[in-house]
Amino acid sequence: MAGRGFASLNPNKSFFFSRHSIFIATVCFLVLASIFFFLSSSGCRAYDSPTHTRLASTIPPSENPNHNPNSPQPEYSFVASLEKLLTSESSWASPPPDTFSGNSGEASERVLDDAIWRRKTDAWAGLSVVKVYVYEMPAKFTYDLLRLFRNTYKATTNLTSNGSPVHRLIEQHSVDYWLWADLIAPQSERLLENVIRVHHQQEADLFYIPFFTTISYFLLEKQQCKALYREALKWVTDQPAWQRSEGRNHILPVHHPWSFKSVRRYMKKAIWLLPDMDSTGNWYKPGQVCLEKDLILPYVPNVDLCDTQCLRDTHSHRSTLLFFRGRLKRNAGGKIRSKLVEILLDTEGVIIEEGTFGIAGKEAAQNGMRKSLFCLSPAGDTPSSARLFDAIVSGCIPVIVSDELELPFEGLIKYRKIALFVSSSDAVQPGWLVQFLKSIDSKRIKEMQENLEKHSRHFLYSNPAQPLEAVDFTWRKIADKLPNIKLHIERLQRMVNGSRNLCICECEQAR
């Protein structure tokens, strides 16, 4: 009643207040809507920030909002990329000097440990970004070896004892080059945001050792190589960061199973970049390698990528059921090859060929894979084989016959969608393998071919490194290991004399 009485005393004023209230309500609504829109936009940008790069890095470069327009076109040829890197080396700015670089001893180790602890307790932003310190090792461990390869790679007559061209093997195992080249590139040219290079050791989560172990193994004289290995071992283990963690947060590329073999036992706690986990003891001793700390990386493919257009052109012409071209006789775990050759040779729809080297050999393997539905991938001297990755980038469904094989990026890639796994005992039964492949229906074959097209890029190396390719996936897998690595290092800091030396979650049978 009071309200109605007040209104009746001054109707004009009531109308004024009514219009005024509507105007104020409208303005408030527009202001609130603007604030909401601004916060929503900011939230989206924050989600794509470096602290959430896992999602951002799954977007193809052409569609990635973080795509760097200053970055050059990716180069997939090891030789061509190396030539560019060595040509531009002198124009790159040197990183600022690091407080701990070149210093060793207990005092330096303690100072570094204090600096790392302060960083951990003071800064919480960007924890999902892997921060890597790249050691500035003397040129004899890095650039001198790269130049040696560049100056001699045309000498394809330089063969290993089993007849393989050493320079092709170096390219095949050049994962150390691709990771290092991306890390040291100017930040303005890099595309990956889930890993950054830092120039102060106290800021680092991990330490990268840029020693080209495969090049040195194949291109130096035996005694010269062993001496260089010993020098590299001393240089790295003298670093305070190594002494603080006993190497647990150091990345050691030893992708060829013969490389760095004479001194590997002294660096067994580092993160090794490997082609597989050989269990025979021929290549890696028990306690030296395990999935707990190490990483399996794919070989660099020997053949060119069959892109989308290539796959469309070849799918209707894949008339060969099963194809294999490579060394027919191998050692150790690769003896399965000889048995498979004996069973499959002269079988209708199956092509088994001894591999040859050079351009003609590459073209024969590439053409054969692009004309085949399935490609045989048996174990080599170790459980892995480069044939697997050649098949994947050729759109040929791999048939893996290697009972002890560990695969790269497992957990990020569902291999059952792109490959067939056959036990050795089944594969060597006369007629079994061919009958098994013929029983797979066309719908499943088409699905696997489509999955190969989607997944093949994960096995490519390039510079600058591209999202979703091998270098990107490498850092994702290493990031998953970081919490456990940090746990081991913290545990090491509190150990006293008489404590159990080996954590039960580290590699067993350590020596």
Side-chain angles (χ1 to χ4, degrees):
M1 296 294 292
R4 282 202 298 271
F6 179 80
S8 62
L9 291 174
N10 195 342
N12 292 330
K13 190 173 182 180
S14 175
F15 178 72
F16 170 78
F17 275 107
S18 176
R19 287 194 305 172
H20 188 60
S21 299
I22 294 172
F23 174 76
I24 292 175
T26 302
V27 171
C28 290
F29 175 79
L30 292 174
V31 171
L32 289 172
S34 300
I35 293 173
F36 177 81
F37 177 79
F38 175 78
L39 290 176
S40 300
S41 301
S42 300
C44 290
R45 284 194 295 271
Y47 195 76
D48 286 336
S49 69
T51 61
H52 295 85
T53 51
R54 289 198 173 202
L55 179 62
S57 61
T58 61
I59 304 172
S62 58
E63 304 172 16
N64 192 342
N66 296 319
H67 177 65
N68 188 344
N70 297 321
S71 181
Q73 288 296 310
E75 178 58 68
Y76 292 89
S77 163
F78 174 57
V79 173
S81 175
L82 176 59
E83 185 63 41
K84 289 181 181 178
L85 183 142
L86 293 176
T87 301
S88 60
E89 173 197 353
S90 59
S91 63
W92 290 359
S94 299
D98 182 75
T99 308
F100 302 96
S101 181
N103 296 324
S104 61
E106 186 176 344
S108 295
E109 178 189 345
R110 188 165 54 252
V111 173
L112 176 60
D113 186 63
D114 290 341
I116 291 172
W117 181 255
R118 285 195 300 273
R119 182 180 71 85
K120 286 169 55 180
T121 54
D122 292 344
W124 297 99
L127 291 180
S128 63
V129 179
V130 180
K131 298 175 181 178
V132 182
Y133 182 87
V134 182
Y135 279 124
E136 290 287 320
M137 297 184 74
K140 60 184 173 182
F141 302 117
T142 56
Y143 286 103
D144 289 354
L145 291 173
L146 292 175
R147 293 189 187 96
L148 177 62
F149 175 88
R150 180 191 62 179
N151 296 338
T152 59
Y153 80 91
K154 292 183 180 179
T156 53
T157 56
N158 187 3
L159 306 177
T160 65
S161 58
N162 66 10
S164 300
V166 297
H167 291 83
R168 194 194 72 175
L169 283 174
I170 291 170
E171 291 184 62
Q172 193 171 283
H173 295 279
S174 59
V175 302
D176 46 8
Y177 167 79
W178 296 107
L179 267 73
W180 178 75
D182 180 64
L183 284 171
I184 67 169
Q187 189 60 37
S188 60
E189 297 180 4
R190 297 186 66 252
L191 294 173
L192 301 187
E193 295 183 346
N194 58 343
V195 57
I196 60 173
R197 180 187 183 186
V198 296
H199 298 292
H200 299 285
Q201 294 188 23
Q202 64 267 30
E203 299 174 358
D205 299 313
L206 298 164
F207 295 78
Y208 187 83
I209 303 170
F211 178 37
F212 297 100
T213 58
T214 302
I215 295 179
S216 52
Y217 176 82
F218 281 115
L219 298 186
L220 297 180
E221 295 295 333
K222 185 175 181 179
Q223 294 306 316
Q224 184 184 10
C225 177
K226 285 187 174 182
L228 192 65
Y229 282 174
R230 290 192 296 270
E231 288 185 59
L233 171 68
K234 185 178 187 311
W235 193 96
V236 173
T237 56
D238 278 348
Q239 302 303 312
W242 177 279
Q243 294 165 358
R244 174 182 177 271
S245 68
E246 294 184 349
R248 287 178 173 83
N249 55 1
H250 284 57
I251 299 172
L252 178 67
V254 283
H255 198 259
H256 192 281
W258 297 344
S259 64
F260 216 52
K261 198 171 181 180
S262 59
V263 297
R264 285 194 304 221
R265 64 186 180 276
Y266 302 110
M267 304 181 79
K268 63 188 177 186
K269 294 180 181 178
I271 305 164
W272 290 9
L273 306 182
L274 303 164
D276 55 42
M277 295 273 176
D278 170 60
S279 63
T280 65
N282 292 323
W283 313 110
Y284 313 115
K285 300 302 180 184
Q288 288 185 353
V289 297
C290 62
L291 288 176
E292 168 74 19
K293 68 178 184 68
D294 300 320
L295 205 66
I296 308 298
L297 297 189
Y299 293 60
V300 177
N302 290 316
V303 299
D304 299 329
L305 172 69
C306 188
D307 59 17
T308 301
Q309 187 59 49
C310 167
L311 292 173
R312 291 173 182 169
D313 294 341
T314 58
H315 278 335
S316 60
H317 301 289
R318 293 181 181 265
S319 55
T320 302
L321 177 68
L322 180 65
F323 177 83
F324 176 81
R325 182 182 175 86
R327 297 297 303 276
L328 300 184
K329 293 183 180 181
R330 305 298 285 179
N331 301 315
K335 292 179 180 179
I336 185 68
R337 288 195 185 185
S338 300
K339 296 178 181 179
L340 290 172
V341 169
E342 183 180 342
I343 293 169
L344 295 171
L345 207 59
D346 298 326
T347 301
E348 183 180 358
V350 177
I351 296 178
I352 303 290
E353 299 175 339
E354 180 73 39
T356 55
F357 307 118
I359 295 176
K362 173 185 173 180
E363 290 180 351
Q366 183 167 288
N367 292 336
M369 288 184 170
R370 293 183 180 185
K371 293 178 181 178
S372 304
L373 284 176
F374 301 100
C375 285
L376 187 64
S377 178
D381 288 344
T382 64
S384 64
S385 168
R387 302 298 172 275
L388 169 60
F389 309 105
D390 291 349
I392 289 173
V393 301
S394 298
C396 185
I397 300 170
V399 180
I400 299 173
V401 186
S402 181
D403 298 340
E404 298 181 358
L405 178 64
E406 296 290 349
L407 292 161
F409 311 141
E410 199 148 21
L412 295 175
I413 297 172
K414 292 186 179 294
Y415 279 92
R416 286 288 181 179
K417 291 187 174 184
I418 62 173
L420 299 172
F421 295 84
V422 177
S423 70
S424 297
S425 58
D426 286 337
V428 296
Q429 295 180 30
W432 186 93
L433 184 57
V434 171
Q435 189 59 39
F436 168 69
L437 296 178
K438 287 182 178 179
S439 70
I440 300 174
D441 62 66
S442 58
K443 180 181 178 182
R444 186 182 179 192
I445 290 174
K446 183 179 179 182
E447 287 176 350
M448 295 187 80
Q449 289 175 333
E450 290 174 348
N451 288 330
L452 281 173
E453 180 180 351
K454 296 174 185 175
H455 286 74
S456 60
R457 65 184 299 184
H458 305 325
F459 302 92
L460 300 177
Y461 295 87
S462 64
N463 188 35
Q466 305 290 303
L468 283 180
E469 291 184 353
V471 173
D472 179 24
F473 270 28
T474 297
W475 292 114
R476 294 187 192 206
K477 292 296 290 185
I478 290 178
D480 290 341
K481 296 178 183 292
L482 265 181
N484 209 33
I485 291 169
K486 292 178 179 180
L487 169 64
H488 287 315
I489 295 173
E490 290 299 325
R491 179 179 177 274
L492 178 66
Q493 304 306 306
R494 57 88 173 163
M495 296 289 285
V496 296
N497 290 334
S499 298
R500 184 179 65 243
N501 290 327
L502 179 65
C503 179
I504 59 174
C505 50
E506 289 189 302
C507 300
E508 296 179 358
Q509 296 180 305
R511 295 179 181 176

